[in-house]
């Protein structure tokens, strides 16, 4: 600590403080326009001048002046104020200060300081820089005449978001912030994250929404967690009356003040007129409004009837990765305890079921081993099967920041994703060749002595068998399978194995294969042989997709595990649960989601499934082989759907229950790094819609199992009493930072890095796995291999993002991406309409030509109902352990329909 005197008072501040940070920590405000927490001092605006004894001229910029021992500072002296006033006058001279028409009014730092420093006559009213505002962008407007050149937007864009879109251009009077070539924002490479907008201190960058009335008119700001992806960004909902009118990033552990386009701007769905506002019951072909009592009575009656006539295993439920932990816990309890079946699952089946199965075998825990923040500590980063900048954008920015600081990046993906452009080494591997690649990398670790022998000996088992199997996996053997040169495989292994610390990040490019579990095991082998697991900067990180997919798994919304991953087949686990529930859950594992559809359609399970309850999922679009899925949803005797909107799945239901969205409920989500975070209610659900928790409590009562614990805090406490990894977690303990499980008791602070001393299963297991070909290789009839994925600008099946006109303007239609060579061979140009046909169906969509792919490979996003990729994908041939389908490799044929897109 250093001692200083500030405004006449002695204070001790941490070494490394600047005068500005020291003053802030002592509650003293010094004005600034350019300073940004988390970045080095810039010293650009100069309104933070303070008097410093002994300084040259007696003054210094507070933001850029480090505190030294014995320093004497006066922050509010006459000379400091006079200097600040002069600087403000200079800024105002070129500022178009029509404050009363400005959307920043009430939240503008320049206006506040001007009033404070006695400069209230702000009425230039001129377009002093002679340029009209740029209103081209769907989400924000940019008015150069209001820009004070503080540089915050430039620095956020280049140093934190690392999109490098904004820069300073020009000199003197023509100095300005601009995108390349002074292009309009909409034509630039802007990714619409809005982090520049959130950090603009004046009215130069403002959200476009007409309803934005400035912070003066916001009734309250509610801190919560984003309802989109698994990063779990903290944010504040700005609420006016009964509406969310804006979103600002909050400084949470996962995002540290950043958001992506969905978190920042795609909140229109919250109060959208399409929201379901009352229960619906099917009468003939129509869904007609009903009371809650009628709807819930019908659901309970049909559930009871089905159990009586066909047994409990004729019912199944799909829980929701978008709902809270407490809701997922009650959902699986409803099925296990009140109905008596383990037929409960959720969408993790289609994303990381292979991770849960694979890492449970090798490490004993199927979750991300490190933290998002710990990516900063990695000397090398291996990203494989994850288009991180689009699927987990805020983590994507963190990887880019690490690379900018010198981390070595290796990317392996069939598509040349954005991160590949920043990588030291990009491996354009063939879809389905993951196991061969990881085996060959592991083999290089052994042959070139890059592994960590001491770690392997002390902490793993099965080395001899794995080493024997890997001996055959030379890079030369893997090269033709992967479609990359052997020397590149060697280089990748050397970068990864040779770094002092290295982290692997992966997602569905690894897991969505018939060999998905083997892919995860092969990655685990690689990390273990390198000794790069359970240490700072060295982790194996599966990136979970939806906001609470981790929590839904933790809470036991899986057919074979109870809350906390205790097996349904384990009598002791069942007894522990029975002690809390008063009912013992069944011992036979239930059906996986993918099996449910197959069984309904084919009547395979005993007498077949008769009753299906879907909470917050849209299988009619998200599941593979849509024709079969829709057939199953139609064939089931009774379908209940609980959702925000009348989705494709809800429109097939017998009963539709209107639910609340994340902004309308209390509880917790668990993000991809196992961090349990607080979700807070900002407003009431629309009409008669109810929080899922309330609906489930009522159904439990109607099915004869009254739920004593009813509030989110009480329900989480009940779940924690069953799930040891959550034992010390309570809603009241979460605060703003959350807690990472395992958290064994109420005094425990949580576990940022797993497996530091011992693996969850004791010693980690090294398991040899052999590569096998994809299920549907190309042939003469279907000569092109289709792979699917997500877009930055859409989420899942667009039930939420599809209500954002801005997102739809940027990415509102389905398309297929083709390599130039493939397109040329088909006579297709950018914008042509093509017909894509697989063994299951056919669609017509727009083609886009892109050098991100190589010849013979096609890519499609899966979000869209019109031109749905899942018409083509297969639901057969599931991974034998994880029951996940091979969504990443489908053989198709593509034919030209129209040379150019009809307008
Ligand atoms: Fe929300 Fe994910 Fe975007 Fe963060 S990165 S704002 S959690 S969608």
């Amino acid at each position: 600590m250093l001692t200083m005197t500030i405004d006449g008072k002695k204070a001790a501040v941490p070494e490394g403080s600047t005068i500005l940070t020291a003053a802030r920590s002592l509650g003293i405000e010094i004005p600034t326009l350019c300073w940004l927490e988390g970045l080095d001092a810039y010293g650009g605006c100069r309104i933070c001048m303070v008097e410093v004894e002994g300084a040259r001229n007696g003054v210094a910029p507070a933001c850029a002046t480090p505190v030294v021992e014995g320093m004497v500072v006066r922050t509010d002296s006459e000379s400091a104020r006079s200097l600040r006033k002069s600087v403000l006058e200079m800024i105002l001279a070129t500022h178009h200060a029509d404050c009363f028409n400005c959307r920043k009014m009430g939240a503008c730092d320049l206006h506040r300081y001007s009033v404070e420093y006695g400069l209230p006559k702000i009425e230039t009213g001129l377009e002093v820089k002679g340029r009209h505002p740029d209103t081209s962008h769907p989400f924000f407007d940019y008015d150069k005449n209001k820009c004070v050149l503080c540089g915050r937007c430039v620095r956020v864009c280049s140093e934190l978001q690392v999109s490098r879109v904004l820069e300073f251009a020009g000199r003197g009077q023509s100095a300005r912030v601009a995108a390349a070539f002074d292009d309009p924002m909409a034509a630039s490479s802007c990714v619409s994250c809005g982090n520049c907008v959130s950090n603009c201190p004046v009215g130069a960058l403002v959200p476009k929404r007409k309803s934005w009335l400035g912070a003066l008119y916001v009734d309250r700001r509610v801190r919560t967690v984003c309802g989109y992806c698994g990063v779990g960004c903290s944010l504040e909902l700005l609420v006016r009356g009964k509406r969310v009118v804006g979103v600002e990033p909050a400084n949470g552990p996962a995002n540290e003040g950043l958001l992506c386009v969905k978190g920042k701007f795609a909140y229109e769905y919250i109060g959208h007129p399409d929201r379901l506002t009352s229960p619906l019951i099917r009468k003939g072909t129509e869904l007609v409004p009903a009371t809650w009592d009628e709807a819930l009575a019908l659901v309970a009656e049909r559930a009871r009837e089905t159990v009586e006539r066909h047994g409990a295993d004729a019912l199944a439920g799909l829980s929701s990765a978008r709902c809270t932990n407490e809701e997922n816990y009650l959902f699986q309890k409803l099925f296990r305890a009140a109905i008596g079946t383990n037929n409960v699952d959720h969408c993790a089946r289609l994303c990381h079921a292979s991770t849960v199965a694979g890492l449970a075998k090798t490490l004993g825990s199927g979750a991300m081993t490190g933290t998002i923040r710990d990516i900063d500590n990695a000397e090398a980063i291996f990203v494989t099967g994850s288009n991180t900048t689009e699927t987990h954008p805020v983590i994507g920015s963190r990887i880019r920041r690490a690379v900018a600081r010198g981390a070595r990046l290796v990317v392996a993906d069939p598509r040349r994703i954005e991160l590949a452009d920043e990588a030291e080494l990009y491996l354009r591997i063939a879809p389905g060749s993951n196991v061969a690649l990881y085996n060959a990398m592991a083999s290089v670790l052994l042959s070139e002595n890059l592994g960590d022998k001491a770690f392997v000996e002390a902490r793993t088992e099965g080395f001899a068998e794995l080493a024997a199997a890997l001996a055959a996996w030379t890079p030369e053997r893997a090269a033709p399978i992967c479609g990359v040169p052997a020397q590149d495989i060697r280089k990748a292994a050397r970068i990864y194995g040779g770094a002092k610390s290295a982290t692997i990040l992966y997602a569905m490019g690894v897991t969505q294969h018939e060999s998905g579990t083997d892919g995860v095991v092969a990655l685990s082998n690689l990390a273990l042989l390198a000794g790069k697991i359970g240490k700072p900067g060295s982790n194996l990180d599966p990136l979970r997709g939806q906001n609470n997919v981790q929590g839904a798994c933790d809470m036991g919304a899986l057919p074979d595990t109870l809350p906390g991953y205790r097996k349904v087949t384990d009598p002791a686990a069942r007894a522990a649960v029975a002690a809390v529930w008063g009912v013992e859950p069944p011992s036979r594992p239930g059906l996986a989601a993918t099996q449910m559809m197959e069984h309904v359609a084919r009547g395979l399970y005993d007498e077949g499934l008769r009753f299906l309850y879907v909470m917050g999922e849209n299988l009619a679009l998200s599941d593979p082989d849509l024709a079969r899925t829709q057939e199953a949803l139609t064939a089931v005797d009774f379908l209940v759907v609980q959702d925000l909107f009348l989705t494709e799945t809800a429109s097939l239901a017998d009963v539709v229950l209107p639910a609340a969205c994340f902004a309308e409920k209390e509880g917790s989500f668990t993000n991809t790094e196992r961090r349990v975070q607080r979700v807070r209610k900002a407003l009431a659900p629309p009409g008669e819609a109810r929080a899922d928790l309330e609906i489930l409590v009522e159904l439990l009562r109607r099915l004869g199992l009254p739920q004593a614990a009813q509030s989110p805090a009480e329900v989480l406490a009940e779940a924690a009493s069953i799930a040891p990894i959550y034992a010390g977690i309570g809603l009241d303990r979460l605060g703003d930072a959350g807690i990472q499980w395992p958290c064994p008791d109420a005094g425990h602070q949580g576990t940022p890095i797993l497996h530091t001393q011992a693996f969850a299963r004791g010693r980690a297991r090294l398991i040899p796995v052999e590569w096998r070909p994809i299920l549907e290789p190309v042939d003469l009839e279907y000569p092109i291999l289709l792979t699917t994925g997500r877009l930055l600008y859409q989420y899942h099946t667009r039930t939420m993002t599809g209500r954002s006109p801005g997102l739809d303007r940027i990415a509102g239609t389905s398309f297929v991406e083709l390599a130039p060579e493939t397109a040329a061979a088909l006579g297709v140009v950018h914008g042509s309409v093509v017909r894509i046909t697989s063994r299951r169906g056919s669609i017509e969509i727009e083609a886009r030509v892109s050098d991100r792919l190589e010849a013979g490979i096609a890519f499609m996003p899966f979000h869209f109902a019109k031109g749905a990729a899942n018409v083509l994908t297969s639901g057969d041939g599931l991974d034998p352990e994880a029951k996940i389908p091979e969504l990443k490799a489908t053989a198709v044929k593509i034919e030209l329909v129209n040379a150019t897109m009809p307008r």
Side-chain angles (χ1 to χ4, degrees), residues 657-673:
L657 303 175
C661 76
F662 85 107
E664 299 155 354
K665 57 172 86 164
E666 296 282 336
S668 62
F669 292 153
T670 304
N671 78 348
T672 186
E673 57 176 349

Side-chain angles (χ1 to χ4, degrees), residues 226 228-229 231-233 259-260 262-263 393-394:
C226 179
Y228 283 111
C229 86
V231 179
C233 296
L259 290 177
C260 80
K262 296 187 284 291
V394 168

Side-chain angles (χ1 to χ4, degrees), residues 721-740:
S721 73
I722 291 176
I725 53 176
Y726 275 67
I729 295 178
L731 224 47
D732 57 343
R733 280 198 69 202
L734 297 180
D736 285 340
I739 297 175
Q740 286 178 280

Side-chain angles (χ1 to χ4, degrees), residues 287-590:
L287 280 166
V288 298
T291 65
W292 272 106
D293 188 49
E294 288 165 342
L296 293 177
L298 183 59
V299 173
E301 182 192 320
R302 292 299 298 265
R304 264 195 307 270
E305 263 178 34
T306 311
V307 173
E308 277 161 24
R309 285 197 200 159
H310 306 285
D313 285 338
L315 292 85
L318 287 169
S319 200
S320 176
R322 292 178 217 174
C323 289
T324 62
N325 286 324
E326 299 72 25
E327 290 160 348
N328 277 286
Y329 171 77
L330 280 197
F331 191 86
Q332 59 85 40
K333 182 176 178 182
L334 177 81
F335 275 80
R336 292 197 159 107
I339 291 171
T341 178
N342 282 317
N343 285 343
V344 60
D345 203 0
H346 71 289
C347 69
R349 189 62 49 201
L350 297 179
C351 59
H352 274 287
S354 338
T355 293
V356 174
L359 295 189
K361 280 198 302 190
T362 60
L363 311 180
S365 167
M368 191 163 147
T369 70
T371 66
I372 294 170
R373 198 175 267 167
D374 193 43
I375 294 169
D376 293 355
N377 297 320
E379 258 188 20
I381 299 172
F382 179 31
V383 176
T384 176
S386 161
N387 187 1
T388 322
T389 55
E390 298 215 39
T391 56
H392 300 80
V394 168
I395 294 181
S397 292
R398 192 172 279 277
I399 295 170
R400 285 177 146 156
R401 289 204 295 278
V403 173
R405 279 198 305 269
R408 304 180 75 183
L409 176 64
V410 177
V411 171
D413 199 288
R415 189 163 170 249
R416 192 180 171 93
I417 55 171
E418 281 174 355
L419 278 180
D421 297 342
E422 321 228 350
E424 179 177 338
L425 178 66
Y426 167 53
L427 307 174
R428 178 134 73 182
I429 58 168
S433 64
N434 298 322
V435 174
L437 174 68
Y438 311 148
N439 276 353
M441 285 174 67
S443 162
V444 175
L445 292 189
L446 296 184
S447 63
E448 298 193 6
N449 225 0
L450 291 166
D452 184 338
K453 278 187 193 145
F455 181 92
V456 170
E457 270 171 29
R459 302 205 42 197
T460 69
E461 62 191 30
F463 175 72
E465 296 88 329
L466 178 64
L470 289 179
W473 276 104
T474 60
E476 283 68 24
R477 179 179 169 200
I481 297 169
C482 300
V484 294
Q487 68 264 28
D488 283 355
I489 298 176
R490 280 205 173 82
K491 186 173 176 190
R494 286 171 190 156
I495 292 173
Y496 176 71
K500 284 201 189 80
S501 56
T503 284
I504 298 174
L505 297 131
Y506 74 93
M508 288 182 277
V510 174
T511 59
Q512 285 183 333
H513 284 286
E514 185 269 341
S515 59
T517 303
D518 285 353
V520 171
V521 169
L523 268 184
S524 172
N525 290 340
L526 181 66
L528 289 167
L529 288 178
K532 291 191 166 56
I533 200 158
K535 303 171 183 173
S538 290
N539 288 294
L540 181 56
D541 291 341
L543 297 175
R544 310 301 297 260
Q546 300 204 47
N547 56 318
N548 197 33
V549 70
Q550 181 66 56
C553 291
D554 300 344
M555 290 294 119
L558 295 168
D560 55 346
T561 60
L562 298 164
Y565 302 98
R566 303 169 88 181
K567 291 283 176 197
V568 294
T569 48
D570 175 1
R574 289 201 308 279
V577 170
V580 176
W581 291 355
V583 178
E584 185 167 319
S587 59
R588 178 167 77 159

